[in-house]
Amino acid sequence: MRLHEYQSKEFFSNFHIPIPRGRLASTPEEAKLIAEELNGPVVLKAQVLVGGRGKSGGIRLVKSPEEAKDEASKILGERIKDIPVRRLLVEEAVNIQQEIYFGMTIDRKKGETLVIASAEGGVDIEEVARLSPEKIFKESINPLLGLRDFQSRKLATDIEIPRDLWRSFITLARNLYSVYCQLDTTLVEINPLVITTGKRLMALDGKIIIDDNALFRHPELLDKRDTSIEAPQESEARKFCLSYIKLNGNIGCLVNGAGLAMATMDIIKHNGGQPANFLDIGGGANSEKVAAALRIMLSDPQVKTILINIFGGITRCDEVAMGIRQTLSEIETNIPFIIRLVGTNETEGKRILADANLLTADTLHEAAAKAVALSKESR
Ligand code: GDP
Ligand code: MN
């Protein structure tokens, strides 16, 4: 789950990382009011979850409250990379001497946290990494030891932070690491972290990604999710606790268990087809959940065939079959279903499907081959 800049900055501030003064506005009048309060030049920043807002016109520097109002009325109607701008962060403009990149993320290979710093901040860090990788410095954090001050000092030397700012940089690094750990993030990033002309460090931008699998530990974060950037099917799936990821193919897959879902996708590909999604209904799903999963898949116009692959353990095949029957009685569709059920209550399940004239398969290979053939038939 990705947080907006203003949300990230709230956390930064709670963890004593300096940020510019400012507030959120959703109307031009509010933007004007905030600019009056801040009493000086301000920056209007579109709160949309896309990278490179600066380059796409989402960051505007203005000199007066009147100008803030005018510019706000323009940006608030616009779209940035196709996402409508509904809110602006109005902040005091900061005089920048240098822009630094500073972030922390997971190094999956090492199983450690990587702290990344570069003196070439502000711009696209991926570009810096591609064109001049020697300008990016990294420190690996052992999760048992945490970030040590000597590591931050080393980074400060690497990116040539003036010596009189070392102490603030080390404190800031420590605080950012606390944000990183306490919120269970997979990424915290300050780009740019600036040195102001007044010789202070300040987080001018903020990006936090929370590990979705840790969200149960953070009920306070649940209402912070912005669903405007995800496929509507993904938000719907979350309501029913289904793991759903939309893909580009045309064969909808409904499977119980992530491992089986991966295997099912592999076998579809092996047979020359393309999965339209990854969907794990989890263990012990009841007919309601199966019906919800099918409704979600049927709402995706790219789906031309549906392959259901259930290995009944805790999940009961008859429950799944009832869910399928229920969906088909509610929604009229000419999308073909191929169903393979094995395991607990298989016989009952198959009887329900046979009564409903549904196409079944005995093995996964057979099911995948049929699904792929059907997906190619139906335009
Ligand atoms: P991003 O493009 O979405 O990453 O948005 P940022 O918040 O990082 O802003 C992009 C760029 O706008 C920064 O790198 C700065 O160069 C500039 N910028 C943002 N805020 C200010 C400010 O208060 N003063 C000045 N002078 N420039 C700013
Ligand atoms: Mn930025």
Side-chain angles (χ1 to χ4, degrees), residues 296-340:
I296 289 164
M297 278 201 270
L298 288 169
S299 74
D300 179 352
Q302 276 189 11
V303 171
K304 299 296 176 215
T305 306
I306 289 180
L307 169 59
I308 299 174
N309 184 24
I310 299 295
F311 191 87
I314 309 170
T315 307
R316 289 166 34 201
C317 293
D318 56 329
E319 275 286 335
V320 174
M322 283 191 294
I324 300 170
R325 193 179 56 186
Q326 184 191 327
T327 314
L328 291 176
S329 68
E330 287 164 5
I331 303 176
E332 210 175 307
T333 177
N334 45 18
I335 303 283
F337 283 48
I338 295 93
I339 307 151
R340 183 234 179 187

Side-chain angles (χ1 to χ4, degrees), residues 74-122:
K74 286 183 209 154
I75 316 182
L76 280 168
E78 283 172 20
R79 285 173 167 267
I80 294 184
K81 297 187 182 166
D82 217 36
I83 298 180
V85 180
R86 302 197 199 286
R87 286 169 304 183
L88 299 172
L89 180 59
V90 183
E91 280 186 341
E92 60 177 337
V94 171
N95 292 317
I96 303 173
Q97 189 183 75
Q98 195 195 336
E99 303 195 25
I100 293 167
Y101 175 93
F102 193 46
M104 300 179 182
T105 189
I106 294 171
D107 180 341
R108 292 176 194 276
K109 281 200 189 112
K110 279 193 179 170
E112 295 193 334
T113 292
L114 209 55
V115 186
I116 304 166
S118 173
E120 308 267 315

Side-chain angles (χ1 to χ4, degrees), residues 201-239:
L201 283 174
M202 200 179 254
L204 228 56
D205 192 6
K207 179 170 170 183
I208 294 180
I209 301 178
I210 314 267
D211 184 348
D212 280 340
N213 294 313
L215 273 176
F216 72 98
R217 307 211 293 195
H218 302 281
E220 79 282 4
L221 293 176
L222 284 179
D223 63 339
K224 293 199 189 290
R225 188 188 290 273
D226 180 348
T227 50
S228 68
I229 49 161
E230 34 184 38
Q233 288 90 1
E234 293 186 350
S235 334
E236 189 63 18
R238 193 171 316 103
K239 284 190 210 153

Side-chain angles (χ1 to χ4, degrees), residues 46-250:
Q47 297 301 291
V48 282
L49 291 174
V50 297
R53 291 168 306 167
K55 282 187 205 151
S56 326
I59 311 279
R60 317 252 171 111
L61 183 69
V62 298
K63 298 217 163 55
S64 68
E66 271 314 314
E67 207 188 329
K69 185 176 163 190
D70 289 348
E71 280 300 309
S73 70
K74 286 183 209 154
I75 316 182
L76 280 168
E78 283 172 20
R79 285 173 167 267
I80 294 184
K81 297 187 182 166
D82 217 36
I83 298 180
V85 180
R86 302 197 199 286
R87 286 169 304 183
L88 299 172
L89 180 59
V90 183
E91 280 186 341
E92 60 177 337
V94 171
N95 292 317
I96 303 173
Q97 189 183 75
Q98 195 195 336
E99 303 195 25
I100 293 167
Y101 175 93
F102 193 46
M104 300 179 182
T105 189
I106 294 171
D107 180 341
R108 292 176 194 276
K109 281 200 189 112
K110 279 193 179 170
E112 295 193 334
T113 292
L114 209 55
V115 186
I116 304 166
S118 173
E120 308 267 315
V123 286
D124 228 350
I125 196 67
E126 286 83 2
E127 278 293 284
V128 181
R130 201 167 58 82
L131 300 173
S132 32
E134 74 285 354
K135 290 184 176 153
I136 293 187
F137 297 90
K138 299 172 183 167
E139 279 291 309
S140 215
I141 308 181
N142 179 314
L144 296 177
L145 299 176
L147 174 67
R148 316 304 298 183
D149 287 353
F150 77 86
Q151 297 182 294
S152 307
R153 213 173 294 123
K154 173 147 187 313
L155 287 171
T157 321
D158 289 338
I159 64 171
E160 295 174 29
I161 289 181
R163 217 189 161 99
D164 50 352
L165 281 174
W166 280 15
R167 189 182 278 276
S168 344
F169 179 75
I170 289 167
T171 308
L172 184 142
R174 233 187 260 155
N175 292 338
L176 192 65
Y177 187 61
S178 300
V179 176
Y180 176 86
C181 295
Q182 289 189 28
L183 293 183
D184 289 315
T185 73
T186 56
L187 175 85
V188 288
E189 187 183 89
I190 307 179
N191 187 27
L193 168 67
V194 299
I195 302 179
T196 66
T197 46
K199 301 280 179 286
R200 288 185 56 215
L201 283 174
M202 200 179 254
L204 228 56
D205 192 6
K207 179 170 170 183
I208 294 180
I209 301 178
I210 314 267
D211 184 348
D212 280 340
N213 294 313
L215 273 176
F216 72 98
R217 307 211 293 195
H218 302 281
E220 79 282 4
L221 293 176
L222 284 179
D223 63 339
K224 293 199 189 290
R225 188 188 290 273
D226 180 348
T227 50
S228 68
I229 49 161
E230 34 184 38
Q233 288 90 1
E234 293 186 350
S235 334
E236 189 63 18
R238 193 171 316 103
K239 284 190 210 153
F240 291 92
C241 297
L242 299 160
S243 311
Y244 175 94
I245 293 159
K246 183 169 162 46
L247 303 169
N248 292 324
N250 58 6

